[in-house]
Amino acid sequence: MKLSLGDIAEHISAKFYGDSQRQIHAINTLDKASEGEVSFFSNRRYLSALKSTTASAVILSEDDRKHCPVDSLVVDNPYLAYAKLANLLYPDQESIPGIHSSADIHDTATIHPSAQIGAQVSVGKNAMIGEGTVIGAGVIIGDGAIIGRHSRLYPNVVLYKDVVLGDRVKLHSGVIIGADGFGIANENGKWLKIPQVGTVEIGNDVEIGANTTIDRGALGNTIIADGVKIDNQVQVGHNVHIGKDTAVAGCVAIAGSTHIGERCMIGGACGISGHIEIADDVVLMAMSGVNNSIKEAGVYASGLPVMDVKTWRKNVVSFKQLYLLNTRLRRLEDNYTDKED
Amino acid sequence: MKLSLGDIAEHISAKFYGDSQRQIHAINTLDKASEGEVSFFSNRRYLSALKSTTASAVILSEDDRKHCPVDSLVVDNPYLAYAKLANLLYPDQESIPGIHSSADIHDTATIHPSAQIGAQVSVGKNAMIGEGTVIGAGVIIGDGAIIGRHSRLYPNVVLYKDVVLGDRVKLHSGVIIGADGFGIANENGKWLKIPQVGTVEIGNDVEIGANTTIDRGALGNTIIADGVKIDNQVQVGHNVHIGKDTAVAGCVAIAGSTHIGERCMIGGACGISGHIEIADDVVLMAMSGVNNSIKEAGVYASGLPVMDVKTWRKNVVSFKQLYLLNTRLRRLEDNYTDKED
Amino acid sequence: MKLSLGDIAEHISAKFYGDSQRQIHAINTLDKASEGEVSFFSNRRYLSALKSTTASAVILSEDDRKHCPVDSLVVDNPYLAYAKLANLLYPDQESIPGIHSSADIHDTATIHPSAQIGAQVSVGKNAMIGEGTVIGAGVIIGDGAIIGRHSRLYPNVVLYKDVVLGDRVKLHSGVIIGADGFGIANENGKWLKIPQVGTVEIGNDVEIGANTTIDRGALGNTIIADGVKIDNQVQVGHNVHIGKDTAVAGCVAIAGSTHIGERCMIGGACGISGHIEIADDVVLMAMSGVNNSIKEAGVYASGLPVMDVKTWRKNVVSFKQLYLLNTRLRRLEDNYTDKED
């Protein structure tokens, strides 16, 4: 696809400085973009790359235009404008209707004629696949699972029985939806498994990254609301509820029955305990551990940053007796105050 | 399946208060249960839901009966009783004997006639699959692997060659058993891979969650003893030994050659170093890091809880110089004591 | 395979003490090795096992020879010598040329005649598979993906379109290469997905563990350089660059656009933020969190070790007000100094 800079400026509502007839066929990074490519500038770390870019044009904010050696597309939010342009230049591939000969489809399954079913796929009893949906090679769809319209399951996704997906859902390879939650009860030192009889409901416009797992409910359902975006290798326990438009970065673990609000941003590798509530608009910085409910919107953190190992070893020794430090300090304060009197 | 409340009371050894003839067909949560459904109460957070439940009956302890507006099934351990009832109402599906036409089974493999082999399965040379075992779609079973009786491998599980599973083992989708351990030796800055020539032995009544990985031994075997329950996305390194009836929550990482005792409970997202020993009956709270052996039963923890980001930033600055705090305090104490003299 | 101890000594450049004609067929651990087996000693924890070993010979350092009750193979680096011997005794299986009848290969794909393609494999348009490469059962290879020579993809690996792998690459089961990076832009509280139009380039002699995920670049490529070794369940974000001969242990999370140097050793379960640089020869201890660039080689850490839960609870309380401790201490110091004057 080719677009003129003028058309691009209009599409992303940019103020434009330069030659509006120039033809653009791609987006690239500041340091790699060349003739016919647009780039964008939204992170100060790349200022020197901006100053020496050979892109045909750069999307940036008014304040940064002075650093731009080429044509400028000026917007308030360059990253968002880049996202819009990328969607224009690189649209999703449409489904190529048809069922691959090696796929195994149960007689009772309902597959929309416009859907695309890849090689080595297995579709179970009474499963339903909607209009324009693409099922990649090796995907396994359990009995009774329902997939909406214009969704895309990349190769080797597994949906357990009765899982429900909305429209425009993207599941990346290795995603497992609806495996049993970790429900076990202890009887005299032995574990008795608890049948997990709920399922998983995933709303519209949800995207889930590679090898992420979302367990089915023990009783009632695990729910991922509309517009949620989940990165790779995230674990979502049974009966969790993730509210609308929340984003969850990679390697996060969310234990069972926890409710996460809307528009939250959960940083990478966070751990969130079970049976708690996290309010709307909470931001968790990477590697935070949450073991109690968070009742107010805001930014929270708990991770410790790296130190050189010698300092770290000494700090760890002190940390092990941190409460004693507190006690010793108080004693000193008390005595000192006594002397003051 | 339908059961009378009287039958249920007998099955779970409950003291019963109410109409023993009432018919029950399902279990549900306190807030969602209605006519014909039983619920249970074992977590104080849900007390208000108990008080307003419309379940036909609730499993609870004697102390809580006063809050229950409907029929009561009184037991010492309501969660365990719920587990027992759930197993009664929702029994595992039996295998439907037969081999799917799209499965690829090596001539030398031995498959019990009562086993069920799904679509797109691949079974290698000399592999053995026992009585009543169910192999889901897309499962890959390596050469020489042995699976016991009444086990269930959900879709897209992979067993590498020579892996051994016991009876009544459940492996959820995406589980990989027997991949190479991370054995590498350094020679002048380059890594030389060490062939991993052991395998993995998994005992009876083990359940392993989605996308969990258990590596084969470098020399000798990785061993998961009887009754162990492992959640999703757990990583178990080569030559690890997990003792009987230990439970491991999601996203735990266990490095190579570590021995974990019996009846331990490992909280979510813990990290456990290699070549250490953890005693029987150890409980690790979520997100703990263990880098030395734990020799006594007990409860251990190391994670830090979230704070608002401003407090956290200030605390992190102090943490970076924590040992200096200790030194400064000691100096003050020493001087102070001198003055006392 | 059988080798004489004399031949082994020569192969691993060992000084040999014992009967050079003795035949060896296997390697085993110190406690399990018997007649015909060699063991090695490189970790002090196993000293008592050395003293009572019944191996035919042990690879060890000169200093430890005095503890060895059997024949000795003396080298400077016993672990490396064990690695070399293991590669001699347990060579990689060669490919068995041919394409399984159940595999689905696109007409336009190029597969070297010496390559081995397993059951239920799917190979896309214009994909290329090199000489002697083995593709395990259930592997999905996207359109335009290129795999070099003598590589091995274990069952159920997924390569998205256009991914490039070098020679002698090993990908373990469940590895996903080239899924979309987590690129989203926020517009009035909704997330707009950013098309991920780069790919992943993986060099020669790279090994990647089970269920690890490596995302494709947003613009430009994610790059894993020659000789990199990655363990299981590692997450590598879009546009990350991992330098030559770096080793990454299990469950590490690396966020987007971060550059990691050469010969680094990243401990298990570390978290590394996006858009930072880590110098060559950096060692991160397990469970470290890195949120700023590391500019100098060295050893770094940030994890806290477990304590008994009572001590931990008290320390956590103190940690929450750590900066106040610092303030209180300073006040005391200031006052104290005043008095000194």
Side-chain angles (χ1 to χ4, degrees), chain B residues 293-316:
Chain B
S293 290
I294 296 180
K295 294 181 176 161
E296 285 179 38
V299 183
Y300 299 84
S302 74
L304 291 177
V306 282
M307 291 152 261
D308 69 276
V309 74
K310 280 183 194 162
T311 305
W312 173 76
R313 284 223 174 86
K314 290 185 283 187
N315 285 338
V316 162

Side-chain angles (χ1 to χ4, degrees), chain A residues 3-7 16 18-24 71:
Chain A
L3 298 166
S4 72
L5 274 175
D7 287 345
F16 179 61
D19 170 6
S20 70
Q21 294 310 308
R22 213 188 289 277
Q23 294 295 298
I24 298 300
D71 289 0

Side-chain angles (χ1 to χ4, degrees), chain C residues 311-329:
Chain C
T311 305
W312 173 76
R313 285 225 172 86
K314 289 186 283 186
N315 285 339
V316 162
V317 169
S318 295
F319 183 79
K320 282 187 172 170
Q321 53 190 22
L322 187 56
Y323 72 101
L324 289 176
L325 232 78
N326 197 5
T327 310
R328 284 161 54 198
L329 186 55

